[in-house]
Amino acid sequence: VKANFGASNDLEIFHGSGHSFIVDTGTGNLNIKGSAAVKIQSAAGEDMFTANTDGSVELYHNNVKKFETSAAGGTFTGDLTVSDDLFMLSDAAVIHFGADSEVTLVHEHNEGLTIITEGTADTLTLLSNDDGTSAGPTFELRRNSTSPADNDGVGAIVWTSDNDAGQEFQAAIIKAQATDVSDGTE
């Protein structure tokens, strides 16, 4: 049995094959309005989805809030698995790590990535738990040029600091250069 609404019976409410349906068969939107919030709950009354008027939208898993939007963006609680690309489309994107954001990964336009940490602890540790005979961990600097030429610079490690006038200076540099890129005589 279907309950049909509208001049063209565009809205249908019915139960069939063990499921209940609300179907809009017309060309417009199916609008659900609430004066304070719109909620979707399980039959036991557990929250699944909440859209608050002029406020947040919340998604739940097993009655536990996992995602909430805000004026600043959104907050995700728990693990996040991304099975494809993850894009941060900002020339000033920052990823914060730690309860007090003591480590940040910063993208600056045309400058690459910068790891910033507070304090003097190790900023970056490469750790390998391999029990085999392979070398590890491996830190590789790779220049992947489409037109390699003799005397190309292929990488550098630069130690930079500030002087007592607040100006940057390079304290030490290790550079690698490919003097010959001919196959077999590199």
Side-chain angles (χ1 to χ4, degrees):
V1 175
K2 284 186 182 180
N4 293 302
F5 301 89
S8 300
N9 293 321
D10 289 345
L11 178 64
E12 302 174 348
I13 300 176
F14 61 95
H15 182 83
S17 302
H19 302 286
S20 299
F21 298 90
I22 300 173
V23 179
D24 179 1
T25 62
T27 58
N29 297 332
L30 173 63
N31 295 318
I32 301 173
K33 296 182 178 184
S35 59
V38 173
K39 288 184 169 257
I40 298 175
Q41 295 181 320
S42 69
E46 294 181 339
D47 287 332
M48 299 165 67
F49 171 87
T50 301
N52 296 295
T53 300
D54 298 327
S56 65
V57 173
E58 303 163 0
L59 296 176
Y60 294 79
H61 175 80
N62 197 19
N63 206 35
V64 177
K65 187 182 346 177
K66 292 297 180 178
F67 182 73
E68 180 177 8
T69 64
S70 68
T75 301
F76 187 87
T77 303
D79 294 337
L80 177 63
T81 301
V82 178
S83 60
D84 207 335
D85 295 336
L86 176 64
F87 293 92
M88 296 187 67
L89 303 176
S90 169
D91 282 334
V94 179
I95 300 174
H96 298 263
F97 298 91
D100 298 322
S101 296
E102 34 308 326
V103 177
T104 56
L105 181 61
V106 180
H107 169 261
E108 297 178 29
H109 179 66
N110 294 334
E111 295 292 324
L113 292 172
T114 303
I115 299 173
I116 302 172
T117 184
E118 301 296 326
T120 58
D122 291 345
T123 301
L124 177 64
T125 301
L126 302 177
L127 176 66
S128 173
N129 289 325
D130 181 25
D131 292 334
T133 59
S134 298
T138 300
F139 181 67
E140 179 179 356
L141 301 175
R142 180 172 189 200
R143 180 172 177 169
N144 192 19
S145 174
T146 58
S147 56
D150 290 351
N151 298 313
D152 278 351
V154 293
I157 300 174
V158 181
W159 285 265
T160 305
S161 188
D162 291 339
N163 64 21
D164 59 5
Q167 301 161 326
E168 269 188 14
F169 72 95
Q170 293 179 346
I173 300 172
I174 298 174
K175 288 185 179 180
Q177 183 174 359
T179 55
D180 184 355
V181 296
S182 301
D183 185 21
T185 61
E186 301 93 333

